[in-house]
């Protein structure tokens, strides 16, 4: 099986999508998901563009990755500048990655009209940027921006930029369809020519989806000899997005016989996609191929009947192969194998067909129907399973709480929460002020619990996300709150669902504290 | 320019999408949108499958369509049955359309395993169904279900079904990639063979998006000689959806020189897509090619600056060509040019270096430093700029509010909000219960404002997102609330930031109401 190198740009090009703003914390989590899945390269960001990316690369130095190599991104240095004094290049060197992506212009009118440089000057800065980084020991990928439009307009010049990059020491030449409007038959011809001329290097393809053909173009490039493919998980990216690796990888590996990630990891695909979408705080379109919630959902009566009789009748692969699951609408069935894994984590000897298993499955089904989603909330799932298997020993009970919010205020303190909790039959009532109701409630609960469990001070909340489920009910819609907590070494995620955002937050907070007290401290 | 017939199946195959349920009224509206846009065929439904479709065809008889022909859908009649006594065929005749789509099996194992018939029996029912309808004066399209999988498994038999359909009088043979997992290079070969053998009929292509290649496959079929393309607007459909006509049509007509709809109608594309998505009550993915809200949205600072200088730098067509528009997103990576565009929308004569401009820029900088993000919140930005330019006339003032949340509760109502607002010197105080504090506050404010502005009933909240800014302060971190509101025709987005989620929600809600009252109603 021919190996195709997978280059993930979710954290760089994906972050240019409308509505996405990754924190350094989010980025570190995404790197772990991608490394577990087994992609070859992870582009972490542009360290010169903002302090968050700097912080990310600094903290990423502590990561021990199994499969993936981190890549820092930069552009060619300024026309007439000195690479050794260039702020962006130095930021990239400080990022400390073995690999660097350098993007440069390959479309002549972009050189003259956007960069305001001569064609020769552009070749010079490609040369000196790559040469400088190579001499510093970096492995450099050259991203030829607008390559396809450039090749149409002035093929000699476009090819010349690649030749210069190669001679300067680039280890891969990446052809970018930056405006995303190339057709597969054009991609084929263009890539074949590059492979003929520069096939001794790794030839990469980077496509965008502006005319709905990003995946088709990447496949066309691979069939024409490209061996390195760039995209993002979920297809996030500027405008209509980048090529979706979660569609491309199974297409190449399951259908066309190429090797992209370790074969046993293909079933992690859906979970990887959902976890990354969660980190991005963007809901994955349910219709997303392979990994969407509707990808194997059958609605038409004829379809549903046939698919139960003979799955291949309306399914191109068994959904479990990519970690997804069949849904016959109106009778939802959760991904049983995934749930079995979680069950076995709590009770290693549990039987697939036992009454206990059935009880957990039916509880999960009920909660999922009510808007719960345990994909990005492993700690809540573990607490839930422990409860259902009778292995849960609660560390506290909530008596009651009351929160009052008032505006205007003289200071920032607009809320007061009072709570009553019970531990081993002993009540503790306390109150706290806070900047907002969740904060006031959080402080009050910790204060009350701290009387019994002083170690609670070690845990803190590191992220808090809210998604409205459905839109028809406006502000009365159910909301799903996802909380990420940390003790500085380990992070865990919990979920709560309610029409009341305070109650949903409370549920997620309670799971987080229980998980900390039972599994982490 | 070669004409390609456009066959829209939004009302039939599109209605099989998860979450879609058209009323007869919705269907009539969609027919009008499609006829105005100028598609050739509109498949209205399966009149035998439900009474809503029957009612639709009955009422559709009154429509006077300019361009489009209505099509009724049915399957081949039962094995061993008599076509003249078949309920489905008679329902189709009663629907009274000139055109009928008949779907039949062309994959041998589907005949034997799903239909439980012999291969010969299947040919018989194809023949007698089409023959019966043709004799009744109908023009029949034969939809060869699973044609691509069938052709791979047993090419002779797949071709035989087409031959039988042709001999029975079908006017078009439509090749369906029902499971949606065919690659363009396979489509090319398969369609070419059919065109060689049956090219005197109209050859159609009907693709699904299960491996992300529906549009690529349709284009491949057209380039191989197909002259009739089936899909849905927005790509709605079973599982991952049908081929999206809103991507295909501009691809063929703007880029590849085919003619699909009258040239002057291409600019109706975005409006048609949005109106149909509205009728389907499904939000269009913002990243949808050509018609999505993000399709021409620019976020990276370099992209924004370049696109303002030279639109073709990061836009493959002028967005107005398809009735969409450019959006330069305000973000941590956006440049000054982007902000100037927003300023000029409020005051067309504003100077780049005026004191007013500086005042707005400094206010924006201050707010962004405090966690605001106007990317995706154009309505808040417009309100803010109006305020800074002294052009803002407030429609109301908030006196005070007070929200109480308590748990446990006997019913779902856990919150009470009281608010006092002032309009033109007149106070209105009211209170409301709600499922959660934001809902209670929302209801109370609307109730109070409704006394002065009854039209407030027309606006509603369609999405609500919360993002915690930074992580170090846990639940005391600032939160950013993004609200999307709609009046059913237009959507607008607003933002609020505070450490108190209720206050942040209130700020976003207030901007939304002000924007509605000043710019939308």
């Amino acid at each position: 099986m021919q190996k195709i190198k997978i280059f993930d740009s979710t954290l760089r090009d994906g972050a240019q999508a409308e509505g996405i703003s990754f924190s350094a914390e989010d980025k570190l989590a995404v790197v772990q998901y991608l490394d577990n899945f087994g992609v070859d390269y992870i582009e972490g960001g542009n360290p010169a563009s903002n302090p968050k990316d700097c912080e990310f690369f600094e903290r990423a130095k502590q990561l021990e990755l199994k499969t993936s190599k981190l890549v820092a991104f930069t552009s060619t240095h300024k026309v007439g500048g000195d690479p050794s004094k260039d702020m962006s290049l130095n930021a990239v060197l400080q990022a400390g990655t073995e690999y660097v992506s350098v993007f440069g212009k390959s479309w002549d009118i972009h050189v003259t009209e956007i960069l305001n440089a001569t064609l020769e000057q552009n070749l010079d800065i490609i040369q000196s940027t790559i040469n400088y980084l190579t001499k510093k020991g970096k492995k450099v990928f050259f991203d030829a921006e607008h390559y396809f439009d450039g090749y149409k307009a002035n093929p000699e010049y476009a090819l010349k930029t690649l030749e210069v990059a190669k001679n300067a020491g680039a280890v891969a030449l990446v052809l970018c369809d930056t405006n995303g409007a190339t057709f597969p038959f054009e991609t084929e011809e263009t890539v074949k020519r590059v492979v003929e001329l520069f096939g001794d290097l790794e030839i990469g393809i980077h496509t965008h989806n502006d005319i709905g053909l990003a995946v088709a173009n990447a496949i066309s490039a691979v069939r024409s000899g490209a061996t390195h493919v760039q995209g993002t998980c979920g297809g996030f990216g500027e405008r209509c997005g980048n090529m979706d690796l979660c569609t491309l990888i199974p297409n190449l590996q399951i259908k066309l016989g190429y090797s992209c990630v370790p074969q046993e990891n293909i079933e992690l695909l859906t979970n990887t996609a959902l976890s990354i979408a969660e980190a991005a705080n963007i809901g994955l379109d349910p219709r997303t191929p392979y990994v969407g919630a509707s990808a194997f959902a059958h609605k038409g009566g004829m379809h549903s009947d046939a698919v139960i009789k003979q799955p291949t009748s309306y399914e191109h692969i068994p959904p479990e192969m990519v970690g997804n699951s069949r849904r016959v609408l109106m009778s939802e069935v959760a991904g049983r194998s995934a749930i079995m894994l979680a069950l076995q984590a709590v009770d290693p000897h549990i039987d697939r067909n036992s009454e206990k298993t059935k009880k957990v499955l039916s509880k999960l089904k009920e909660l999922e129907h009510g808007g719960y989603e345990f994909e990005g909330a492993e700690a809540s799932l573990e607490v839930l399973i422990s409860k259902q298997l009778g292995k849960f020993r609660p560390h506290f009970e909530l008596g009651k709480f009351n929160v009052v919010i008032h505006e205007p205020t003289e200071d920032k303190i607009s809320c007061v929460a009072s709570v009553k909790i019970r531990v081993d039959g002993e009540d503790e009532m306390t109150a706290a002020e806070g900047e907002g109701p969740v904060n006031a409630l959080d402080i009050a609960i910790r204060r009350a619990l701290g009387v019994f469990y002083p170690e609670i001070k070690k845990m803190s909340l590191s992220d808090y996300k809210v998604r409205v489920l459905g839109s028809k009910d406006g502000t009365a819609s159910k909301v799903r709150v996802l909380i990420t907590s940390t003790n500085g070494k380990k992070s865990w995620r919990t979920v709560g669902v309610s029409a009341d955002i305070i109650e949903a937050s409370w549920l997620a907070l309670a799971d987080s504290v229980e998980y900390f007290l039972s599994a982490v401290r």
Side-chain angles (χ1 to χ4, degrees), chain A:
Chain A
M1 285 217 295
Q2 198 195 335
K3 167 69 186 164
I4 302 296
K5 296 280 186 73
I6 299 297
F7 182 109
D8 181 279
S9 186
T10 307
L11 299 178
R12 205 272 304 167
D13 230 4
Q16 299 207 174
E18 181 169 9
I20 291 189
S21 168
F22 289 116
S23 65
E25 194 74 41
D26 293 331
K27 286 197 163 196
L28 291 164
V30 169
V31 167
Q32 293 287 9
Y33 299 136
L34 290 169
D35 181 50
N36 283 336
F37 183 45
V39 307
D40 298 282
Y41 307 116
I42 300 171
E43 193 169 50
N46 180 347
S49 82
N50 64 68
K52 266 193 321 197
D53 280 11
C54 266
E55 183 196 341
F56 161 75
F57 280 110
E58 208 44 50
R59 291 174 62 185
K61 287 174 183 166
Q62 313 303 320
L63 295 176
E64 285 180 20
L65 300 181
K66 293 181 292 189
T67 331
S68 311
K69 301 285 186 187
L70 274 181
V71 184
F73 175 86
T74 187
S75 65
T76 46
H77 69 75
K78 287 215 172 65
V79 175
D82 173 352
S84 71
K85 289 179 185 141
D86 190 88
M87 212 191 61
S88 301
L89 299 193
N90 286 322
V92 152
L93 291 176
Q94 217 169 10
T97 58
E98 183 183 352
Y99 290 85
V100 175
S101 275
V102 171
F103 94 94
K105 306 244 172 244
S106 63
W107 187 1
D108 55 3
I109 69 149
H110 261 249
V111 175
T112 52
E113 295 195 24
I114 306 293
L115 205 59
N116 288 323
T118 67
L119 297 183
E120 201 51 48
Q121 283 175 322
N122 181 50
L123 296 177
D124 287 346
I125 57 174
I126 293 172
Q127 197 280 333
S128 60
T129 302
I130 298 177
N131 190 256
Y132 176 71
L133 293 171
T134 306
K135 289 241 164 86
K136 294 279 185 189
K138 301 294 163 191
K139 292 183 178 143
V140 176
F141 299 153
F142 177 60
D143 284 5
E145 201 197 19
H146 287 300
Y147 186 80
F148 292 86
D149 293 310
Y151 185 76
K152 267 189 225 173
N154 185 343
E156 293 74 25
Y157 187 71
L159 286 167
K160 187 76 190 167
T161 62
L162 300 184
E163 191 190 323
V164 166
K166 179 187 165 176
N167 292 339
V171 297
L173 304 175
V174 182
L175 313 179
C176 304
D177 182 21
T178 310
N179 285 8
T182 299
F183 286 86
F185 59 90
E186 297 168 329
T187 301
E188 185 181 337
E189 190 197 315
T190 310
V191 173
K192 275 188 176 156
R193 182 89 182 110
V194 172
V195 170
E196 265 166 39
L197 293 170
F198 305 106
D200 47 335
L201 300 195
E202 199 167 298
I203 303 300
I205 179 78
H206 174 116
T207 58
H208 282 258
N209 204 36
D210 294 77
I211 63 170
L213 297 173
V215 170
N217 280 319
I219 291 170
S220 177
V222 167
R223 287 170 47 89
S224 304
T227 57
H228 161 137
V229 182
Q230 302 197 344
T232 65
C233 278
F236 302 129
E238 192 91 45
R239 306 185 311 272
C240 303
N242 283 58
M243 200 272 301
D244 190 349
L245 285 174
C246 298
T247 306
L248 181 86
I249 291 172
N251 277 354
L252 290 181
Q253 187 148 340
I254 298 176
K255 308 263 177 195
L256 296 175
Y258 295 91
S259 166
C260 300
V261 297
Q263 185 59 32
E264 66 274 20
N265 290 358
I266 279 286
E267 67 180 41
L268 301 178
L269 185 74
T270 301
N271 198 270
T272 304
L274 290 178
S275 303
I276 291 176
E278 201 53 67
N281 199 18
I282 283 205
L284 215 53
D285 188 322
R287 289 184 286 148
T288 309
Y290 292 101
V291 300
S294 302
F296 300 93
H298 304 279
K299 180 170 162 190
M302 202 187 53
H303 282 216
S304 304
D305 291 348
V307 95
I308 289 166
K309 222 160 150 183
Q310 170 62 270
T312 61
S313 60
Y314 294 99
E315 280 174 0
H316 64 104
I317 55 161
E320 302 74 32
M321 195 183 262
V322 290
N324 206 337
S325 53
R326 176 178 310 142
R327 291 164 61 225
V328 175
L329 298 177
M330 302 309 213
S331 59
E332 298 198 16
V333 190
R336 186 143 173 172
S337 322
I339 292 158
M340 280 311 296
L341 284 182
L343 273 167
Q344 281 157 358
V346 177
D347 178 355
H349 305 298
I350 196 158
D351 185 79
R352 201 181 173 93
N353 300 307
S354 70
E355 279 309 307
K356 282 180 177 175
T357 302
K358 280 181 199 152
K359 194 180 158 202
V360 174
L361 285 173
S362 106
K363 184 69 187 174
L364 272 175
K365 214 168 120 182
E366 178 197 323
L367 287 170
E368 282 177 351
H369 186 75
Y372 268 80
E373 195 183 74
F374 292 96
E375 295 292 345
E378 312 89 337
S380 275
L381 183 63
E382 193 172 320
V383 169
L384 172 83
I385 288 175
S386 301
K387 282 182 185 167
Q388 295 299 312
L389 296 184
K391 288 177 176 271
F392 180 72
R393 193 185 67 78
H395 290 80
F396 63 97
E397 278 169 71
L398 180 75
K400 55 178 75 169
F401 70 75
N402 183 295
V403 185
V404 179
I405 309 148
H406 50 93
E407 292 273 350
T409 52
E410 278 103 71
D411 50 16
K412 290 193 300 177
I413 304 307
S414 55
C415 297
V416 180
S418 61
V419 300
K420 187 158 104 178
I421 59 148
R422 169 171 292 194
V423 176
D424 292 336
E426 210 178 307
D427 280 345
E428 177 70 26
M429 181 144 190
T430 189
E433 293 180 321
E435 301 181 35
V438 182
N439 181 231
L441 193 60
D442 180 34
I443 296 173
I445 286 166
R446 282 159 193 273
R447 191 172 289 168
L449 281 172
V451 172
F452 307 96
Y453 305 107
E455 63 271 46
I456 202 104
K457 288 198 185 79
K458 284 188 220 151
M459 72 167 272
S460 65
L461 184 139
S462 66
D463 200 11
Y464 173 79
K465 284 176 185 153
V466 180
R467 173 141 332 118
V468 175
L469 307 173
S471 57
K472 284 185 190 156
D473 303 323
T475 46
S477 299
K478 276 196 183 169
V479 294
R480 180 165 57 225
V481 167
L482 264 165
I483 282 180
T484 306
S485 306
T486 181
N487 66 344
K489 288 179 196 133
K490 186 180 153 77
S491 291
W492 59 97
R493 281 164 292 272
T494 53
V495 62
V497 174
S498 167
D500 177 352
I501 193 171
I502 306 302
E503 190 190 23
S505 304
W506 156 250
L507 292 169
L509 212 52
D511 271 6
S512 173
V513 171
E514 284 290 3
Y515 184 81
F516 171 73
L517 292 174
S518 64
V520 181
R521 64 165 161 169

